[in-house]
Amino acid sequence: MSEGSGSPESVRLDKWLWAARFFKTRHLAVEAINGGKIKVNALRAKPARAIAIGNRIEIHKGGLVWNIEVLGLSKQRRSATEAALLYREDEASLLKRQEIVRERRDTGVGAGDASGRPTKRDRRLIQRFKIPTDSGS
């Protein structure tokens, strides 16, 4: 293809994942790739691996899995509607992911992570529980 034509013949994996809006930054995409969370054609890949149309990518992110086929290439991050045109997700992958999200919503897992520091209100309740006040003296 010539320089001035529409889409490139191949794109770096990290750049494509960012452009397709699977990750907010290329740095996060690189970390996921290096962590083994991304597979291209069922093999581990490096961030600079060239992606071409027809490649199959498996993405593990936040306990969810996407099995997708690359339909288009882009070096630039565009709107979410344009990014969705870059890939097609397998029907089985989509149904499984939706089921996991539905289960999380029903059980309340992931909504407001309770781990970490207590809030000011939580600390007051804990203190009230530990040190009872002498109101009857």
Side-chain angles (χ1 to χ4, degrees):
M1 282 189 159
S2 65
E3 283 291 320
S5 63
S7 67
E9 291 180 16
S10 66
V11 178
R12 286 175 54 112
L13 175 60
D14 60 339
K15 194 174 269 195
W16 187 87
L17 289 169
W18 168 75
R21 295 183 164 265
F22 283 101
F23 295 95
K24 283 189 174 191
T25 64
R26 281 184 57 194
H27 181 73
L28 291 174
V30 168
E31 286 180 351
I33 295 165
N34 289 336
K37 306 272 190 236
I38 311 294
K39 292 184 180 179
V40 178
N41 297 328
L43 299 172
R44 279 188 72 163
K46 292 185 178 179
R49 178 162 187 326
I51 295 298
I53 293 174
N55 284 144
R56 307 223 24 101
I57 302 177
E58 184 178 320
I59 303 167
H60 294 264
K61 181 181 171 192
L64 301 174
V65 179
W66 285 263
N67 288 314
I68 60 172
E69 179 184 356
V70 177
L71 298 179
L73 302 175
S74 177
K75 290 184 178 181
Q76 295 181 336
R77 190 171 169 105
R78 305 254 181 203
S79 68
T81 54
E82 288 182 46
L85 300 174
L86 297 177
Y87 60 91
R88 177 179 57 227
E89 185 173 6
D90 292 346
E91 190 66 30
S93 169
L94 178 65
L95 293 174
K96 186 175 180 182
R97 194 166 44 81
Q98 287 175 341
E99 181 62 31
I100 291 171
V101 169
R102 192 176 306 115
E103 285 178 18
R104 284 183 182 177
R105 193 178 325 123
D106 293 344
T107 59
V109 174
D113 190 14
S115 62
R117 294 180 59 180
T119 63
K120 188 172 185 178
R121 181 177 180 269
D122 293 337
R123 285 194 306 272
R124 286 180 178 162
L125 291 172
I126 291 168
Q127 191 171 13
R128 192 178 306 147
F129 177 74
K130 282 184 170 181
I131 307 169
T133 57
D134 288 334
S135 60
S137 314

